[in-house]
Coordinates of all heavy atoms in Angstrom, one line a residue:
I1 N 117.2 50.4 163.5 CA 116.8 50.5 162.1 C 117.5 51.8 161.5 O 117.5 52.9 162.2 CB 115.3 50.6 161.9 CG1 114.6 49.3 162.3 CG2 114.9 50.9 160.5 CD1 113.1 49.3 162.4
Y2 N 118.0 51.7 160.3 CA 118.6 52.8 159.5 C 117.8 53.0 158.3 O 117.7 52.1 157.5 CB 120.0 52.5 159.3 CG 120.8 53.6 158.5 CD1 120.6 55.0 158.9 CD2 121.7 53.4 157.5 CE1 121.3 56.0 158.2 CE2 122.4 54.3 156.8 CZ 122.2 55.6 157.2 OH 122.9 56.6 156.5
V3 N 117.2 54.2 158.1 CA 116.4 54.5 157.0 C 117.0 55.6 156.1 O 117.5 56.5 156.6 CB 115.0 55.1 157.4 CG1 114.1 55.3 156.2 CG2 114.3 54.0 158.3
Q4 N 117.0 55.3 154.8 CA 117.5 56.2 153.8 C 116.4 56.6 152.8 O 115.7 55.7 152.4 CB 118.7 55.8 153.0 CG 120.0 55.7 153.8 CD 121.2 55.4 153.0 OE1 121.1 55.0 151.8 NE2 122.4 55.6 153.5
S5 N 116.3 57.9 152.4 CA 115.3 58.2 151.4 C 115.8 59.4 150.7 O 116.7 60.1 151.1 CB 114.0 58.5 152.1 OG 114.1 59.6 153.0
G6 N 115.2 59.6 149.5 CA 115.6 60.8 148.6 C 114.7 62.0 148.9 O 113.6 61.9 149.3
G7 N 115.3 63.1 148.8 CA 114.6 64.3 149.1 C 113.5 64.7 148.2 O 112.7 65.6 148.5
T8 N 113.5 64.2 147.0 CA 112.5 64.5 146.0 C 111.5 63.3 145.7 O 110.8 63.4 144.7 CB 113.1 65.0 144.7 OG1 113.9 64.0 144.1 CG2 114.0 66.2 144.9
E9 N 111.5 62.3 146.5 CA 110.7 61.2 146.1 C 109.2 61.3 146.6 O 109.0 62.0 147.6 CB 111.3 59.9 146.6 CG 111.4 59.7 148.1 CD 112.0 58.3 148.3 OE1 111.2 57.3 148.1 OE2 113.1 58.1 148.7
I10 N 108.3 60.8 145.8 CA 106.9 61.0 146.1 C 106.4 60.3 147.3 O 105.4 60.6 147.9 CB 106.0 60.7 144.9 CG1 106.1 59.1 144.6 CG2 106.4 61.4 143.6 CD1 105.1 58.7 143.6
M11 N 107.2 59.3 147.8 CA 106.9 58.6 149.0 C 107.2 59.2 150.3 O 107.1 58.6 151.4 CB 107.5 57.2 148.9 CG 107.0 56.3 147.8 SD 107.8 54.7 147.9 CE 107.4 54.0 146.4
A12 N 107.7 60.4 150.2 CA 108.3 61.1 151.4 C 107.3 61.1 152.6 O 107.7 60.8 153.8 CB 108.7 62.5 151.1
P13 N 106.0 61.4 152.5 CA 105.1 61.3 153.6 C 105.0 60.0 154.3 O 105.0 60.0 155.5 CB 103.8 61.8 153.0 CG 104.2 62.5 151.8 CD 105.3 61.8 151.2
Q14 N 104.9 58.9 153.6 CA 104.8 57.6 154.2 C 106.1 57.2 154.9 O 106.0 56.5 155.9 CB 104.2 56.6 153.2 CG 105.1 56.2 152.1 CD 104.5 55.3 151.1 OE1 104.7 54.1 151.2 NE2 103.6 55.8 150.3
I15 N 107.2 57.6 154.3 CA 108.5 57.2 154.9 C 108.6 58.0 156.3 O 109.0 57.4 157.3 CB 109.6 57.5 154.0 CG1 109.6 56.7 152.8 CG2 111.0 57.3 154.7 CD1 110.6 57.0 151.6
A16 N 108.3 59.3 156.3 CA 108.4 60.1 157.5 C 107.4 59.5 158.5 O 107.7 59.5 159.7 CB 108.1 61.5 157.2
A17 N 106.2 59.2 158.1 CA 105.2 58.6 159.0 C 105.6 57.3 159.6 O 105.4 57.0 160.8 CB 103.9 58.5 158.3
L18 N 106.3 56.4 158.7 CA 106.8 55.2 159.3 C 107.8 55.4 160.4 O 107.8 54.7 161.4 CB 107.4 54.4 158.1 CG 108.2 53.2 158.5 CD1 107.3 52.1 159.1 CD2 109.0 52.6 157.3
V19 N 108.8 56.3 160.1 CA 109.9 56.6 161.0 C 109.3 57.0 162.4 O 109.7 56.6 163.5 CB 110.8 57.6 160.5 CG1 111.8 58.1 161.5 CG2 111.6 57.1 159.2
E20 N 108.3 58.0 162.3 CA 107.7 58.4 163.5 C 107.0 57.3 164.3 O 107.1 57.2 165.5 CB 106.6 59.5 163.2 CG 106.0 60.2 164.4 CD 105.0 61.2 164.0 OE1 104.8 61.4 162.7 OE2 104.4 61.9 164.9
K21 N 106.3 56.4 163.5 CA 105.6 55.3 164.3 C 106.6 54.4 164.9 O 106.3 53.9 166.0 CB 104.7 54.6 163.3 CG 103.9 53.5 163.9 CD 102.8 52.9 163.0 CE 102.0 51.8 163.8 NZ 100.9 51.3 162.9
L22 N 107.7 54.1 164.2 CA 108.7 53.2 164.8 C 109.2 53.8 166.1 O 109.4 53.0 167.0 CB 109.7 52.9 163.7 CG 109.4 52.1 162.5 CD1 110.5 52.1 161.5 CD2 109.1 50.6 162.9
R23 N 109.5 55.0 166.0 CA 110.1 55.7 167.2 C 109.1 55.7 168.3 O 109.4 55.4 169.5 CB 110.5 57.1 166.9 CG 111.8 57.2 166.1 CD 112.1 58.6 165.6 NE 113.4 58.6 164.9 CZ 113.8 59.6 164.1 NH1 112.9 60.6 163.9 NH2 114.9 59.6 163.5
D24 N 107.8 56.0 168.0 CA 106.7 55.9 169.0 C 106.6 54.6 169.7 O 106.2 54.5 170.8 CB 105.4 56.3 168.4 CG 105.3 57.8 168.1 OD1 106.2 58.6 168.6 OD2 104.4 58.2 167.3
H25 N 106.9 53.5 168.9 CA 106.8 52.2 169.4 C 108.1 51.6 170.1 O 108.3 50.4 170.3 CB 106.4 51.2 168.3 CG 104.9 51.4 167.9 ND1 104.2 50.5 167.1 CD2 104.0 52.3 168.3 CE1 103.0 50.9 167.0 NE2 102.8 52.1 167.7
G26 N 109.0 52.6 170.3 CA 110.2 52.2 171.0 C 111.4 51.8 170.2 O 112.5 51.4 170.8
A27 N 111.3 51.8 168.8 CA 112.4 51.3 168.0 C 113.5 52.4 168.0 O 113.2 53.6 168.0 CB 111.9 51.0 166.6
K28 N 114.7 52.0 167.9 CA 115.9 52.9 167.7 C 116.0 53.2 166.2 O 116.4 52.2 165.4 CB 117.1 52.3 168.3 CG 117.1 52.1 169.8 CD 118.3 51.5 170.3 CE 118.2 51.2 171.8 NZ 119.5 50.6 172.4
V29 N 115.7 54.4 165.7 CA 115.7 54.6 164.3 C 116.5 55.8 164.0 O 116.4 56.9 164.6 CB 114.2 54.9 163.8 CG1 114.2 55.1 162.3 CG2 113.3 53.7 164.2
E30 N 117.3 55.7 162.9 CA 118.0 56.9 162.3 C 117.5 57.0 160.9 O 117.4 56.0 160.1 CB 119.5 56.6 162.3 CG 120.3 57.8 161.7 CD 121.8 57.5 161.7 OE1 122.2 56.6 162.4 OE2 122.5 58.2 160.9

């Protein structure tokens, strides 16, 4: 999975939390 996000978007916390959870579950994420 490849994730892109903006540095000033209000969804930043949920995007970061998603990335962390995906990695915790063994997914290869950038």
Side-chain angles (χ1 to χ4, degrees):
I1 296 173
Y2 181 42
V3 181
Q4 286 189 349
S5 60
T8 64
E9 61 177 293
I10 66 172
M11 295 182 190
Q14 62 183 263
I15 296 172
L18 168 68
V19 170
E20 182 179 3
K21 182 170 183 177
L22 289 171
R23 287 172 176 162
D24 288 344
H25 287 192
K28 298 176 181 178
V29 184
E30 179 182 344

